[in-house]
Amino acid sequence: SGSIVTSAVVQLTVTKVPGNGIGSVDSMFDLRRLTAAWGEGTNGGNSGALAKTGDATWTARVLGTANWTVAGALSDAAATASASTPVGSTFNTTYQWSGAGLASDVQLWVGNASQNFGWLLQSQDEATGRTVRGFAARENGVNVPTLQIGYTPPLPNVPPSVSITNPLNAAVLSSSANVTI
């Protein structure tokens, strides 16, 4: 609390590409600050298991409890991207998103933790075939996503300093004198 965020960098590693990279299409990917809570759930792995109560899906923010305003979550995200970066089709390549927009998002969350719903990762070319990518999740181990934050901590709580300059040091005053300090 009270820190000034000076930079933010998100790193994600590509782990799945359509057609094993053959014929896949490169795309610009945006990070947009989410404005609504969603369920992370407990499913793991990458085999497309059925969603469970509490998971986020294409239509549900929290399956069984709340839906996205419009399927896909874009309607529950900031209107403009916080950062964008081109993503290719080479396996195990790590990409970075950075810039003032991400730093601004993190600064907002420092002062308003209840508004931290993370980011939505979206291809700008969703309507184009073969632009989808799979990115490593926290379960991946060596390629776990990272958020690196640069910040200036708040100034320490320094006690005030007092200096009396009037009357002058060693001045002799009568007992009835009015003295301005």
Side-chain angles (χ1 to χ4, degrees), residues 12-77:
L12 301 172
T13 302
V14 171
T15 57
K16 289 190 179 264
V17 179
N20 292 325
I22 299 169
S24 61
V25 178
D26 295 350
S27 176
M28 185 71 71
F29 277 74
D30 295 335
L31 283 177
R32 294 175 184 267
R33 182 178 47 82
L34 281 166
T35 58
W38 53 279
E40 187 172 352
T42 57
N43 277 337
N46 57 11
S47 60
L50 292 175
K52 296 178 184 175
T53 301
D55 287 350
T57 69
W58 180 255
T59 56
R61 289 189 300 116
V62 183
L63 187 63
T65 303
N67 288 335
W68 298 108
T69 303
V70 175
L74 191 57
S75 59
D76 294 293

Side-chain angles (χ1 to χ4, degrees), residues 51-177:
K52 296 178 184 175
T53 301
D55 287 350
T57 69
W58 180 255
T59 56
R61 289 189 300 116
V62 183
L63 187 63
T65 303
N67 288 335
W68 298 108
T69 303
V70 175
L74 191 57
S75 59
D76 294 293
T80 58
S82 299
S84 303
T85 201
V87 174
S89 44
T90 305
F91 289 109
N92 292 323
T93 299
T94 300
Y95 295 92
Q96 292 187 352
W97 288 258
S98 63
L102 290 183
S104 178
D105 291 347
V106 174
Q107 185 68 62
L108 170 72
W109 298 334
V110 166
N112 304 282
S114 65
Q115 293 182 35
N116 182 355
F117 306 117
W119 289 287
L120 172 69
L121 178 63
Q122 178 201 24
S123 169
Q124 290 181 3
D125 299 316
E126 281 187 339
T128 302
R130 306 183 74 73
T131 59
V132 69
R133 296 292 182 271
F135 293 91
R138 68 177 176 209
E139 297 87 2
N140 187 267
V142 295
N143 292 322
V144 66
T146 62
L147 169 60
Q148 300 169 350
I149 300 170
Y151 65 95
T152 302
L155 295 174
N157 193 5
V158 178
S161 172
V162 176
S163 175
I164 299 174
T165 60
N166 186 29
L168 295 174
N169 192 25
V172 176
L173 304 169
S174 69
S175 62
S176 63

